[in-house]
Amino acid sequence: MNNKNKSIGLIGVGLLGTAIADRLLTSGWPVRGYDLRSERLDLLVAAGGEACTGAAEVLDGCNTTVLSLPDSSVSRDVLSRNAGSLRSGRTIIDTH
């Protein structure tokens, strides 16, 4: 498998999310991310990632999505609000 053809989704591009994105990008993985703060998305784009307009766009476009959010209750809330974008066979990783 050529990992350059598979984007990894990232919801939450704070300190931990930025570190995760940097590692993935350095390893050749395309990263598509979303954060409530536009300045965090600007940093992701500057590092070589792609900014998405919302969590649903990340979930719709990636087979694997990493949630780097403050706690698991926030992760559950994001997934609940975007349940229509969840698909069977996709992987969700909650870093909390």
Side-chain angles (χ1 to χ4, degrees), residues 9 14 24 33 52 58 62 64 75 80 85:
L24 290 168
C52 293
V58 175
C62 300
T64 301
S75 296
S80 177
S85 295

Side-chain angles (χ1 to χ4, degrees), residues 4-88:
K4 292 193 184 257
N5 294 331
K6 298 204 124 206
S7 293
I8 303 293
L10 179 61
I11 300 174
V13 192
L15 284 176
L16 179 58
T18 296
I20 291 168
D22 287 343
R23 289 288 179 133
L24 290 168
L25 289 163
T26 299
S27 297
W29 289 90
V31 176
R32 302 179 78 220
Y34 174 70
D35 196 282
L36 291 174
R37 297 165 295 168
S38 62
E39 65 272 11
R40 301 308 300 182
L41 292 175
D42 293 342
L43 292 172
L44 176 63
V45 170
E50 178 185 344
C52 293
T53 59
E57 184 180 351
V58 175
L59 292 165
D60 283 335
C62 300
N63 286 331
T64 301
T65 299
V66 177
L67 303 176
S68 181
L69 298 167
D71 59 52
S72 291
S73 66
V74 176
S75 296
R76 279 190 302 275
D77 184 51
V78 167
L79 294 175
S80 177
R81 284 186 282 120
N82 293 282
S85 295
L86 299 175
R87 305 282 183 270
S88 177

